[in-house]
Amino acid sequence: MSDIVMGLGLLGIPLIWLVIRYFIVSKKQQEAARLQALKDRKYRLVLEKAKISEREEKIFKGQTGHIPSQLSLAKEYELTNIREAVNWYQKAADLGNEIGQHALARLCRQDVDDPQGEAKSQYWDAVVRSKQKEPEALFNLGHCLLQGHGVDVDFDAGIENMTAAAEMEYIPAQLFLGDWFVADPNPEKNPHHAFCWRLRAARNNDVAGFMKTAYCYQTGVAVKKDKQCAIYWLERAAEQGNTEAQYLAAKMHVGSDVNDAAVAYVWFSIAYASGNKEAKKDRDRVAQAIGIESIMSVQSVAKSVYKILQDKPVAKHLVIHLLDNMYGRSGYYPSDEQLDALLDEESTVGEEPANTVPTDGYSAEIPLTEQSDQEGSTCKSEVEISSVADNNATATQQYQQQSWVTSWDTLIAETEAKSDKS
């Protein structure tokens, strides 16, 4: 029995030691785990403090112009706060950073709380594209800066970009500058520059350029008033099918001799055939000054001119030469040297008129009526057309009384319409 007890005692001692050892080791592990957790907590606190400190430093650096910090902060906010992201990208973009500029072109329109968001996106898109020195992009950027579209108004920068596009012979920029230099929002009007840009557009065979140049000669914008020059540029536009130019060219011939009345009849007929309903009444009135013996030949000329205009493109001066030869007009055909001289010459003629240009005419085509196929002789007699003059005053007065609309206002309206559709 004693042997059994002794054996059990000998076995129990190791078991007891093992149990005690287990609890000792377990306690040490628990203590180690507690210390590790405490250490990890302190480490996380240190990391959080370091992260806060790093962010504060990043914000400070971003606010003081450090572009990488600005971009980093903007990227952090993109998914959580568009307004803050735009704010930081704006700082980088203002310093010329292309990443920031591209991001603003993409993000500004996403800020639903900003009523100017779409305009700002368009402005920054124009900034990005203008770096390629493409005339259309430079024009769009210049327009944004002059109009304050998505950016504060900057006349100097706007004109610089607009001029760069115009110098590349980009016609919309040339027309814009032609109106800008006599526009009310322009603090430094310059009629001579307005005339030069309109003339350059005209030299590029632009119909609006023809019309605006004619207006300069009619009202004396930086050049002496010259009816013959005004008629020339109107007829250049009329040759290209512009209904308003055809109607105005006819008006300019009313109130003089019978040959001018015949030219007026021709252009009134063409304008009526092109859709200007008022031209028929004027045509019928001017017919009274031509005489029954000559009206058939004038109608034949009108029909021939109408056929020429239908066969596009119409050769330069084709119709003008025809009318000059038929009715003994002393033609005005400015050479390149003469036009270059006009572009170089500073003029102080007259006082500055309102900045207005004729509106586009009608586009619908109506067949000529009451036309004759009979060929006849030209009208050469010098007769005063008193009845027509009484009804229409002078050609100059009639021309000035037309409804004109500035390209400046038209461009604003088009921009607003595009913005509304977007």
Side-chain angles (χ1 to χ4, degrees):
M1 184 69 178
S2 60
D3 291 338
I4 294 173
V5 172
M6 185 178 294
L8 291 173
L10 291 173
L11 289 173
I13 292 172
L15 290 173
I16 293 172
W17 182 83
L18 288 173
V19 171
I20 293 172
R21 180 65 180 172
Y22 170 78
F23 281 109
I24 292 173
V25 172
S26 178
K27 188 175 182 180
K28 286 182 178 180
Q29 290 177 342
Q30 291 176 358
E31 181 64 17
R34 186 183 70 80
L35 292 174
Q36 184 62 42
L38 183 61
K39 183 178 180 180
D40 291 343
R41 183 183 175 188
K42 289 181 178 179
Y43 183 69
R44 286 195 300 272
L45 290 174
V46 170
L47 287 179
E48 289 176 3
K49 289 181 179 180
K51 188 175 181 179
I52 293 172
S53 177
E54 180 183 355
R55 184 174 179 77
E56 290 176 348
E57 182 182 3
K58 184 188 295 184
I59 292 174
F60 174 76
K61 291 170 69 177
Q63 291 173 339
T64 54
H66 187 245
I67 293 178
S69 296
Q70 294 167 347
L71 296 177
S72 176
L73 288 165
K75 194 65 178 178
E76 291 176 15
Y77 278 116
E78 268 200 49
L79 298 178
T80 58
N81 191 326
I82 292 293
R83 179 64 60 85
E84 279 298 314
V86 167
N87 178 55
W88 285 110
Y89 277 131
Q90 179 84 48
K91 293 181 183 297
D94 288 340
L95 294 174
N97 180 263
E98 292 190 13
I99 295 176
Q101 293 169 351
H102 279 278
L104 288 175
R106 171 174 51 88
L107 287 179
C108 284
R109 58 172 50 92
Q110 297 181 23
D111 187 358
V112 295
D113 296 326
D114 185 358
Q116 295 296 317
E118 182 64 30
K120 290 178 180 178
S121 281
Q122 292 174 0
Y123 164 71
W124 286 110
D125 183 66
V127 170
V128 171
R129 294 179 184 275
S130 68
K131 294 181 183 296
Q132 303 300 320
K133 300 301 180 182
E134 296 178 356
E136 182 179 3
L138 291 167
F139 169 79
N140 290 334
L141 179 57
H143 168 255
C144 288
L145 290 164
L146 290 170
Q147 292 283 342
H149 186 71
V151 64
D152 292 337
V153 172
D154 188 334
F155 290 148
D156 292 338
I159 290 301
E160 180 181 352
N161 284 280
M162 193 69 70
T163 302
E167 291 290 355
M168 297 178 188
E169 304 303 332
Y170 187 65
I171 293 173
Q174 294 175 337
L175 296 175
F176 188 98
L177 289 173
D179 291 334
W180 167 252
F181 281 111
V182 283
D184 289 336
N186 184 0
E188 299 179 358
K189 296 181 177 64
N190 190 318
H192 175 69
H193 287 171
F195 170 76
C196 287
W197 284 118
R198 290 173 175 181
L199 182 58
R200 285 186 64 167
R203 294 187 72 177
N204 284 324
N205 296 315
D206 180 72
V207 171
F210 296 149
M211 298 287 283
K212 293 172 186 287
T213 303
Y215 179 70
C216 289
Y217 278 110
Q218 176 59 28
T219 57
V221 177
V223 290
K224 288 186 64 174
K225 293 182 181 180
D226 191 317
K227 179 180 176 181
Q228 186 181 42
C229 292
I231 289 175
Y232 169 77
W233 290 110
L234 279 175
E235 290 186 339
R236 288 291 306 278
E239 281 185 330
Q240 301 305 311
N242 185 277
T243 306
E244 187 71 10
Q246 294 163 354
Y247 184 73
L248 292 173
K251 286 280 192 178
M252 291 289 285
H253 285 86
V254 173
S256 186
D257 59 32
V258 69
N259 282 343
D260 279 345
V263 175
Y265 185 95
V266 170
W267 282 125
F268 278 137
S269 298
I270 302 302
Y272 174 59
S274 298
N276 188 325
K277 303 301 182 182
E278 294 297 320
K280 185 177 185 299
K281 298 178 182 178
D282 293 309
R283 183 197 67 184
D284 293 342
R285 279 197 295 269
V286 81
Q288 300 173 18
I290 297 175
I292 190 64
E293 68 281 359
S294 301
I295 192 64
M296 300 296 286
S297 65
V298 177
Q299 290 176 346
S300 178
V301 172
K303 186 174 182 179
S304 298
V305 171
Y306 181 75
K307 289 180 178 179
I308 290 173
L309 296 182
Q310 301 312 299
D311 188 18
K312 294 181 172 43
V314 178
K316 178 180 177 181
H317 295 153
L318 179 59
V319 175
I320 298 176
H321 276 307
L322 172 63
L323 295 176
D324 285 348
N325 292 331
M326 290 293 294
Y327 300 109
R329 298 192 309 180
S330 56
Y332 165 73
Y333 301 97
S335 65
D336 289 339
E337 291 76 13
Q338 290 173 314
L339 296 179
D340 289 338
L342 287 172
L343 292 174
D344 293 336
E345 179 184 357
E346 287 287 349
S347 175
T348 56
V349 177
E351 58 185 47
E352 183 182 325
N355 175 40
T356 51
V357 293
T359 57
D360 291 334
Y362 300 86
S363 58
E365 293 184 356
I366 301 177
L368 279 170
T369 59
E370 303 177 10
Q371 301 295 325
S372 172
D373 293 329
Q374 179 180 347
E375 295 293 336
S377 61
T378 62
C379 305
K380 297 295 183 180
S381 60
E382 297 289 334
V383 180
E384 293 296 325
I385 313 173
S386 58
S387 61
V388 176
D390 291 339
N391 290 329
N392 298 285
T394 66
T396 298
Q397 289 173 333
Q398 292 164 342
Y399 186 73
Q400 292 173 332
Q401 289 170 0
Q402 298 308 304
S403 174
W404 307 89
V405 177
T406 66
S407 289
W408 174 262
D409 293 336
T410 302
L411 185 54
I412 294 174
E414 290 175 354
T415 301
E416 290 177 348
K418 290 179 181 179
S419 298
D420 292 340
K421 290 180 181 180
S422 299

